[in-house]
Amino acid sequence: MARILGIETSCDETAAAVVEDGRRILSSVVLSQVPVHQLYGGVVPELASREHLRNIVPVTRRAAEQAGLIAAGAPLTAAGLKSVDAIAVTYGPGLAGALLVGLTYAKTLALATAKPLIGVNHLAGHLHAVRLEERRNGRPDPPMPAIALVVSGGHTQLYRLDDAGSDGHACRLLGQTRDDAAGEAYDKVAKLLGLAYPGGPLMDKLAVFGDERALPFSPIQLKGNGLDFSFSGIKTAARRQVETQHLEDAIEQRRGAMADLGRSATLEEWRAVCDQATLNLIASFQRAVVGDLVRRTLAAVEQATAEGAPAASIYLTGGVAANAALREQMRRAAERQGLGLFAPAPSLCTDNAAMIAAAALPSFERAAFADASLTATPQLPVAAIS
Ligand code: KG4
Ligand code: ZN
């Protein structure tokens, strides 16, 4: 049995979790910094580092408590972690200062407890969240090879995954965004419309009240690799719609009305301050983004077939994979291809440390441990084997 403590601080969530054998989540604590960053409509790196510093010890303590490693209210000590076999930590990609907080804390814990340290790639974490979802429900791993869409606030990437046995996945990057990530586009359009940060979850819920065919967001065209993405054009198109439909005053009013309520506002309250033109814009934007994500994922499936190495399943993961419309449309598209769609529960799609602990299992089994030289690597690409 391998019991791994995972730590994740790559962006704006301070997270710690204890996972056994890459399948049993004993605890998973995620402290969101949304209230800190929402004033600015996006993550402010310096503030993120400070918040991680403030929260990393209590969050890890709570993860140990919820996993039953320490008594309720007890401090976290080296003795409290004696039943943990390894400490796994995200070392990239992400914000340098944010990564450094988690990494420094994990190294300190490893030293204090004399436990091995495992460095985990955040993107590998998102991929492993898919297997963790299957395993924790007692199901077999998704059939390989797979086409994987990792879609979040920082990334929009397509991978081909082949089975690397107990080593996890062998990954090949097929395409990625040339500008904004899909989640970033959601967040920027939400900001433009005077909606709360992060915009994705709220726009997901508001979209059902709009007419998704009301506005002509044209399909995203790109020269070259048909598996790359681009979302900056659609963001500009949304801004143009605001101008041509003269939505500016309504947006200002909404900002003013919701400034005090902020994150505590209910969906009904948000809906009440959104006119039909805005709801239509949200629905049409979502239709264009979701349509593009599904289309390019299917193009990757078709390419795999044309290369004579057809995919057996589709992975959908990362924060935007929590989107209800995307999950539904990808599921239907996968079904039409005769493939299964494998997506984690929404709480495992957005950043969390359970996926980091699960992704560390292959390294643990190989005894591929990090030493003190492990360093924060903001631009870390996903490894060939993850
Ligand atoms: O994976 P994640 O928690 O952090 C990164 O690694 O980036 O993803 C956060 C992103 C944000 O941009 C957020 O707006 C988006 O995921 N997101 C969603 C939904 N839930 C989160 N986008 C669309 N629909 C959702 N339901
Ligand atoms: Zn992420």
Side-chain angles (χ1 to χ4, degrees):
M1 194 187 71
R3 184 179 278 187
I4 299 181
L5 168 67
I7 291 178
E8 154 66 41
T9 63
S10 67
C11 190
D12 62 342
E13 257 102 25
T14 314
V18 181
V19 177
E20 256 176 24
D21 292 336
R23 65 181 65 238
R24 278 180 299 281
I25 302 175
L26 302 188
S27 66
S28 180
V29 178
V30 181
L31 189 81
S32 162
Q33 300 179 0
V34 162
V36 175
H37 300 290
Q38 70 177 353
L39 274 176
Y40 309 93
V43 178
V44 183
E46 176 61 23
L47 292 182
S49 310
R50 270 191 247 171
E51 287 302 302
H52 286 310
L53 264 179
R54 200 196 314 270
N55 297 323
I56 188 69
V57 176
V59 163
T60 309
R61 197 205 69 79
R62 208 164 344 125
E65 181 183 281
Q66 285 181 11
L69 308 186
I70 58 172
L76 183 60
T77 59
L81 294 179
K82 65 176 182 301
S83 68
V84 163
D85 297 302
I87 293 161
V89 63
T90 306
Y91 71 105
L95 301 169
L99 288 165
L100 269 174
V101 176
L103 189 56
T104 308
Y105 185 58
K107 279 185 184 177
T108 310
L109 279 183
L111 205 63
T113 57
K115 305 286 181 187
L117 178 72
I118 299 171
V120 176
N121 184 312
H122 180 79
L123 296 168
H126 278 303
L127 292 173
H128 277 268
V130 176
R131 301 214 308 195
L132 176 58
E133 180 65 41
E134 297 312 299
R135 290 177 176 188
R136 75 178 174 143
N137 287 299
R139 296 190 291 258
D141 289 345
M144 294 278 126
I147 295 298
L149 175 65
V150 181
V151 59
S152 71
H155 297 91
T156 305
Q157 300 183 322
L158 275 168
Y159 292 97
R160 178 192 168 85
L161 306 180
D162 286 279
D163 198 358
S166 59
D167 284 352
H169 311 104
C171 303
R172 180 156 62 93
L173 182 65
L174 302 174
Q176 61 185 327
T177 184
R178 296 181 185 175
D179 40 58
D180 292 347
E184 198 180 350
Y186 265 100
D187 296 341
K188 287 179 177 170
V189 170
K191 186 177 178 184
L192 172 76
L193 297 177
L195 302 172
Y197 172 83
L202 182 57
M203 286 173 72
D204 183 7
K205 295 192 189 84
L206 288 172
V208 298
F209 303 111
D211 175 1
E212 62 174 20
R213 293 174 189 275
L215 301 178
F217 286 121
S218 40
I220 301 161
Q221 304 288 351
L222 280 181
K223 290 207 181 76
N225 185 1
L227 303 183
D228 277 348
F229 299 87
S230 167
F231 295 104
S232 66
I234 195 164
K235 194 182 60 190
T236 311
R239 187 169 301 122
R240 219 174 306 121
Q241 285 296 338
V242 167
E243 287 161 13
T244 52
Q245 297 194 62
H246 307 293
L247 300 177
E248 293 91 343
D249 289 350
I251 290 170
E252 272 319 305
Q253 279 175 17
R254 183 176 312 125
R255 273 208 192 98
M258 301 311 275
D260 297 336
L261 281 174
R263 226 166 104 76
S264 61
T266 62
L267 178 60
E268 272 316 303
E269 283 166 327
W270 279 110
R271 193 186 163 191
V273 293
C274 288
D275 49 89
Q276 196 56 45
T278 299
L279 294 171
N280 291 349
L281 202 165
I282 292 170
S284 303
F285 165 84
Q286 171 150 297
R287 176 170 185 258
V289 172
V290 167
D292 191 71
L293 292 170
V294 173
R295 228 177 354 263
R296 291 187 205 275
T297 306
L298 285 185
V301 169
E302 277 160 22
Q303 181 179 298
T305 307
E307 286 171 353
S313 58
I314 295 177
Y315 276 40
L316 174 61
T317 185
V320 182
N323 185 277
L326 176 59
R327 294 169 83 90
E328 178 55 22
Q329 287 185 37
M330 196 72 91
R331 190 185 58 73
R332 275 196 261 132
E335 250 168 34
R336 280 197 297 274
Q337 302 288 325
L339 304 177
L341 173 67
F342 296 88
S347 62
L348 287 180
C349 284
T350 46
D351 286 351
N352 66 88
M355 69 183 194
I356 301 303
L361 186 63
S363 298
F364 179 80
E365 287 174 340
R366 269 184 281 134
F369 302 132
D371 58 28
S373 68
L374 183 68
T375 177
T377 312
Q379 307 296 337
L380 184 69
V382 79
I385 294 193
S386 291

